[in-house]
Amino acid sequence: MKIFKFGGASVKDADGVKNVLNVMQQVGHENVLVIISAMGKTTNAFEEVIKNYFEKSPALQSSIQEVKKYHNQILLDLFDDEEHDVFYTVNSHFEDLEYFIRSNKSPNYNFVYDQIVSFGELLSTTIVSAYFNENGLYNNWIDVRNLIKTDNTYRDANVDWEATQKRITKNIKKNTLNITQGFIGADDNNFTTTLGREGSDYSAAIFAYCIGAESVTIWKDVPGVLNADPRYFENALLLNQISYREAIELAFYGASVIHPKTLQPLQKKEIPLYVKSFINPLLAGTSVSRGADLEPHIPCYIVKKGQLLLSLSSLDFSFIMEEHISEIFALFHQHKLKVNLIQNSAISFSVCIEDKFNNFMEVKNILAKKFKVTFNENVSLYTIRHFDENVKEIVENNKTVLLKQISRETMQIVTKE
Ligand code: ADP
Ligand code: ASP
Ligand code: MG
C-alpha cells in the first residue's frame, strides 16, 4: 500500500481539487491511502473563529460564515447538482460545529481549539471524497478519529501507538482507495485532538508505519525538497535525494516542506518518502531514504523566523553550572519552549528558543529571580548544512549577527529580524 498526502495548498480551490483527481489518474490510485489537510488557509480561518469565541466577539458568526462560504463556493464549482448528497454532508458538519459552539462549557482553550479546527479536515476530505466518487474514483471515506488514538494533550497530542496500530490493522481495507484526514486524532474519551500545526505529514507517517506501507508521497507546490526555502532565498535548487538523517536535520531547523515528526516513524521501518510536485506529478521530486548521499552535494540554507534569543548570566559572577542548566531546561520543558540552539560560557548561557504557546514572559519572570536576563525578540535563526565560503554573502550581508556557532557540518547564525 502507498500513502499519499495532499496539503492545504493542493486543495485550496475547485481547480486544486480537480488537479488532485488528475494527479491520482496520472500516477495510479490502486491500493492507496490518501490523507488530506484542510483546504487552503482553513485552519487559520478557524483560529480566527476560536479567537472570536473566547473574546465573545460579535464577529463570531461572520467568521463562521466566511469558512462556510469558502467551502460552499468550492462545492458549487465542483458539483452541478445542488441536490447532491455532499451539500447535505458539508452542511451537517457546520451544524455540528455550531452545536459545539452553542453548547460547549469547557474553558480549556486547547481543548476547544481542537474541537473546532478539526472541522477543516472533515470538510476537505468530505468534499474530495465525493468529487472522486462522482468522477469514477470510488473510495472509502474514513473518520481518522476512529483510528489514530492519542493522549489528551490538546493541540500537541501524543500518539498511542499500540491502540493506533491495532485499529489501523483491523480497519484499513487494502485493495481500495481510502481517503482520510490528516492532523487530527481522538483521545480515550473520543474527543478530537490535533497533532500540532502542519501535522498532516506526520499523519501520513503514522499510517505508513502501522500499515508497513511501500512508500509515502507528500505532494507539494514545489518540485521537492530544495536546498533553501524559496520564500527567502533566490535560486533554490532541487535535492534529488537525501538521507533520513539529512531530512530530519533540515525539517527540525525549519525546512517547513516536511513536518519534522514525519521522518522518525518512516526511518524506523525504512519506508521511503517522496516529496513531489502536484503540478508536475510525473517528475521524480526528492527521494528520502536510508543512508542516501545528499545529491547534489550542495549547501542547504534554512531559516526559522520569530525566534527569541535569551541570555542568562549569574547575578554574582558565579559559574552557570550543570545544576542551573538542568533547572533552566526543566522550566523550558514545562512551558513548551523549544530550544533550537545552545551556547554557554563560564558565567553566561544563551539559547535560541521558539515560543509557540506564548509562555515566554512567564518563564522570563521566573528566571529573573535567579539570573540576569537579557533577550531579543523576533530574531531569525539561519541553519546552513554543508556550508561553504558563500555563507557570508548569502546570509550575513546587511544583517546584524547576534550569535554564530559552527560544527563540522552545520553553521548556525542568529540575526536581528
Ligand atoms: P502543504 O500544502 O503540504 O501544507 P506547505 O505549504 O506546508 O505544504 O509546504 C510547502 C512549502 O514549504 C513550499 O511552498 C515552500 O514555500 C516551503 N519550503 C520551506 N522550505 C523549503 C525547502 N527547503 N524546500 C521546499 N520548500 C520549502
Ligand atoms: N490543516 C493543518 C494546518 O494547517 C494541518 C496541516 O495542514 O498539515 O496546520
Ligand atoms: Mg502545510
Side-chain angles (χ1 to χ4, degrees):
M1 199 166 207
K2 290 181 186 162
I3 314 290
F4 285 180
K5 180 255 168 172
F6 289 94
S10 67
V11 289
K12 69 177 196 299
D13 51 24
D15 284 341
V17 177
K18 290 178 188 171
N19 180 62
V20 168
L21 175 75
N22 199 17
V23 170
M24 299 298 295
Q25 284 163 338
Q26 284 190 61
V27 301
H29 46 79
E30 254 147 64
N31 232 344
V32 174
L33 185 136
V34 181
I35 290 174
I36 303 173
S37 311
M39 295 176 141
K41 302 272 177 230
T42 299
T43 308
N44 294 11
F46 275 130
E47 285 185 342
E48 201 55 36
V49 171
I50 295 157
K51 183 166 165 272
N52 290 333
Y53 171 78
F54 276 102
E55 289 175 357
K56 300 197 168 43
S57 160
L60 174 62
Q61 275 313 318
S62 63
S63 58
I64 300 171
Q65 288 312 315
E66 212 170 290
V67 185
K68 217 179 204 174
K69 234 172 79 189
Y70 169 65
H71 286 86
N72 237 351
Q73 188 57 53
I74 294 178
L75 282 178
L76 291 170
D77 292 343
L78 290 175
F79 299 90
D80 296 330
D81 175 11
E82 282 183 45
E83 296 297 307
H84 192 292
D85 276 355
V86 68
F87 286 86
Y88 296 95
T89 317
V90 163
N91 196 45
S92 77
H93 285 312
F94 279 105
E95 279 171 8
D96 291 348
L97 167 67
E98 281 163 14
Y99 175 77
F100 172 79
I101 285 180
R102 269 199 315 277
S103 59
N104 173 61
K105 298 272 184 310
S106 169
N108 178 345
Y109 179 87
N110 293 343
F111 167 80
V112 172
Y113 182 101
D114 283 0
Q115 309 320 301
I116 294 181
V117 289
S118 48
F119 280 100
E121 271 66 14
L122 294 171
L123 290 163
S124 66
T125 50
T126 299
I127 295 172
V128 173
S129 167
Y131 184 71
F132 278 15
N133 276 329
E134 193 66 17
N135 289 278
L137 221 67
Y138 300 109
N139 64 86
N140 182 29
W141 182 90
I142 300 169
D143 187 332
V144 78
R145 295 171 297 182
N146 297 325
L147 303 183
I148 295 191
K149 288 288 149 184
T150 71
D151 66 5
N152 63 1
T153 314
Y154 299 110
R155 284 182 75 195
D156 198 18
N158 300 296
V159 174
D160 175 343
W161 285 96
E162 209 176 305
T164 301
Q165 172 78 69
K166 265 196 201 137
R167 285 160 182 259
I168 288 180
T169 311
K170 187 160 165 239
N171 294 300
I172 289 293
K173 278 192 241 148
K174 301 204 171 158
N175 309 316
T176 55
L177 174 62
N178 294 292
I179 296 190
T180 198
Q181 306 80 39
F183 181 50
I184 70 178
D187 65 15
D188 280 345
N189 293 317
N190 285 327
F191 286 115
T192 307
T193 56
T194 64
L195 304 170
R197 282 300 310 261
E198 303 294 329
S200 295
D201 293 349
Y202 182 42
S203 304
I206 297 169
F207 274 100
Y209 180 89
C210 293
I211 290 170
E214 179 188 325
S215 63
V216 173
T217 307
I218 54 181
W219 297 94
K220 297 280 170 174
D221 59 355
V222 280
V225 181
L226 307 174
N227 78 322
D229 186 331
R231 290 167 301 179
Y232 305 115
F233 296 88
E234 286 169 18
N235 309 322
L237 298 170
L238 176 68
L239 302 172
N240 300 314
Q241 62 170 44
I242 57 178
S243 62
Y244 292 119
R245 163 84 201 266
E246 190 68 45
I248 285 180
E249 296 281 357
L250 295 175
F252 182 84
Y253 286 112
S256 56
V257 64
I258 308 176
H259 189 280
K261 280 186 177 172
T262 312
L263 278 316
Q264 202 219 10
L266 300 183
Q267 175 265 337
K268 269 193 186 159
K269 287 203 174 167
E270 293 189 15
I271 298 166
L273 169 68
Y274 303 109
V275 183
K276 293 195 192 208
S277 158
F278 59 70
I279 301 154
N280 291 301
L282 298 177
L283 295 183
T286 301
S287 140
V288 184
S289 60
R290 184 179 154 202
D293 283 334
L294 178 64
E295 204 278 306
H297 201 283
I298 47 177
C300 299
Y301 297 86
I302 315 146
V303 56
K304 260 185 195 272
K305 303 254 172 186
Q307 305 285 296
L308 284 150
L309 182 63
L310 168 72
S311 297
L312 305 174
S313 46
S314 51
L315 294 167
D316 57 0
F317 240 63
S318 61
F319 301 129
I320 295 209
M321 301 295 282
E322 289 76 3
E323 58 178 294
H324 301 121
I325 296 178
S326 72
E327 202 180 304
I328 296 165
F329 270 80
L331 202 59
F332 290 162
H333 176 67
Q334 284 154 16
H335 291 82
K336 288 179 165 280
L337 292 176
K338 184 169 170 250
V339 178
N340 288 319
L341 178 148
I342 307 163
Q343 198 163 69
N344 70 319
S345 74
I347 59 162
S348 87
F349 178 79
S350 297
V351 279
C352 188
I353 48 183
E354 204 168 316
D355 180 26
K356 266 195 204 155
F357 295 85
N358 290 325
N359 291 327
F360 176 67
M361 282 305 161
E362 196 184 327
V363 171
K364 193 209 101 186
N365 292 336
I366 301 173
L367 290 170
K369 291 181 191 145
K370 280 202 173 169
F371 303 97
K372 177 170 172 277
V373 179
T374 50
F375 65 95
N376 296 76
E377 285 175 297
N378 238 343
V379 302
S380 297
L381 170 65
Y382 288 85
T383 302
I384 306 101
R385 301 267 303 154
H386 320 290
F387 56 90
D388 62 13
E389 64 289 351
N390 294 324
V391 166
K392 252 203 148 43
E393 195 192 327
I394 295 178
V395 176
E396 293 176 38
N397 251 354
N398 311 322
K399 293 194 190 83
T400 311
V401 174
L402 298 170
L403 189 154
K404 196 165 174 176
Q405 196 171 74
I406 303 177
S407 63
R408 246 175 256 121
E409 289 288 0
T410 311
M411 181 185 289
Q412 291 195 289
I413 303 174
V414 178
T415 67
K416 267 193 181 167
E417 287 178 35

